[in-house]
Amino acid sequence: MTQRAYKFRFYPTEEQQQILAKTFGCVRYVYNWGLRLKTDAYYQTGKRLYYKDLSAQMTVLKRQPETVWLNEVSSVALQQALRHLDRAFINFFEGRGGYPQFHKKHGKQSVTFASSAFKWDGESITLAKMSEPLNIRWSRRFTGIPSSVTVSRDAADRYHISILVDEEIPQAPTSENQVGIDLGLTDSVILSTGEKFGNPRFFRKDEKRLAKAQRRLAKKKKGSKNRDKERIKVARIHAKIADRRQDFLHKLSTRLINENQVIAVESLQVKNMIRNHHLAKSIADVGWGEFVRQLEYKAEWYGRTVVKIDKFYPSSKRCFDCGHIMPKMPLIVRHWTCPECGEHHDRDVNAAQNILAAGLAVLACGEAIRPARKLTRQREGRPQRSRKAN
Ligand SMILES: [Zn+2]
């Protein structure tokens, strides 16, 4: 059984918007209240408060006349806020995150409902305290039973629901294909097969629009209605960029996992070693870390292998055919001819082929990442240049 999250957009009714706004407010209040108690306890007495301590105190809090309004929203949602706070502290103490911060009124709001706080009838979801099911835009189907749902409203005032489902995912049939992936400048993702994918420099394309909106925002008076409007505009542009990038990465990672048994990539750390400003920006645009993360979890679902090369390896400078290493390979060079064997290379495809070879070497012998200098040039031992003409 695997837990898988499905995210959908939904459109709340006026009434649902009001209930959610109230719930977001109460959840934020409880989270911040708990954070303050935990912080005070820790700094004043050195004592750590846990979920059960806070949960007991929350019962008292809900009886106080000045906070009795907390009873108007789902109590399960409030308890989840305390669980999230516990999780944030565990992450902090185990070095995975910074000290928990107070949740702010502006920006993204979210609330999690455990299974006792929503109804799922196989087709629709109704949240606690609501009379009607949510109007969800179901973009895909799932088969399992939802175990919890998280509802959020982003800074651009859009509503999403993320549904956590326990699912049995069938393993994909074994594939013969193996692929190496590199990140290029002009074509963002390059395969060892010679295929290249798009140029999703969404950010740079929208950069001007964003900069303009940000300048307009900076000119507005703090606390004014117009500033609020501009803030939402800026958030919308950010949201659009993020959506398009996610969409592109998901489609590509799903396809690569479907088609290949082994996928070789360089780790983000290796990518970051290349300290070229333009390249670094390009990496940020494409979201390499996110892409590798998607490949890894999808590989786990479907029984594929992602091999990460985490040592520096001269994939661009090395001739895939004979192993000759060029002394220099400036970024401007897109094509080159090997002085040793005379093979003509597309810079990025050659790099992706080397990454695949290095990845297979890692799989074969654990860690050696440098394949034999003289690779035999058997046709079948060599990834095809172009599998698909597109
Ligand atoms: Zn060569």
Side-chain angles (χ1 to χ4, degrees), residues 319 321-324 338 340-343 345:
C319 168
D321 291 86
C322 74
H324 177 72
C338 175
E340 193 80 17
C341 71
E343 187 71 24
H345 291 299

Side-chain angles (χ1 to χ4, degrees), residues 165-233:
V165 183
D166 291 320
E167 252 182 356
E168 202 75 73
I169 301 172
Q171 302 267 294
T174 314
S175 163
E176 296 286 303
N177 300 329
Q178 302 169 328
V179 74
I181 308 175
D182 196 23
L183 192 69
L185 272 181
T186 49
D187 298 278
S188 73
V189 175
I190 295 102
L191 306 188
S192 53
T193 55
E195 259 191 281
K196 300 180 176 186
F197 291 92
N199 179 15
R201 293 198 193 150
F202 304 132
F203 188 73
R204 231 162 292 172
K205 216 162 129 195
D206 288 310
E207 207 169 42
K208 273 194 190 145
R209 227 152 55 87
L210 188 61
K212 225 164 133 189
Q214 277 166 335
R215 274 199 302 276
R216 274 199 308 267
L217 172 63
K219 278 186 204 147
K220 300 284 184 270
K221 229 169 73 206
K222 280 210 171 150
S224 70
K225 268 233 159 66
N226 281 332
R227 190 183 167 88
D228 254 14
K229 265 195 225 155
E230 285 304 325
R231 196 177 45 75
I232 288 178
K233 272 188 201 158

Side-chain angles (χ1 to χ4, degrees), residues 148 150 153 164 167 176 202 205 212 251 272 305 324:
S148 79
T150 298
R153 186 186 69 207
L164 206 58
E167 252 182 356
E176 296 286 303
F202 304 132
K205 216 162 129 195
K212 225 164 133 189
K251 281 191 179 128
N272 281 338
T305 303
H324 177 72

Side-chain angles (χ1 to χ4, degrees), residues 189 197 247-257 291:
V189 175
F197 291 92
D247 191 53
F248 169 81
L249 293 180
H250 269 301
K251 281 191 179 128
L252 187 54
S253 58
T254 297
R255 202 196 122 176
L256 290 173
I257 290 292
F291 185 54

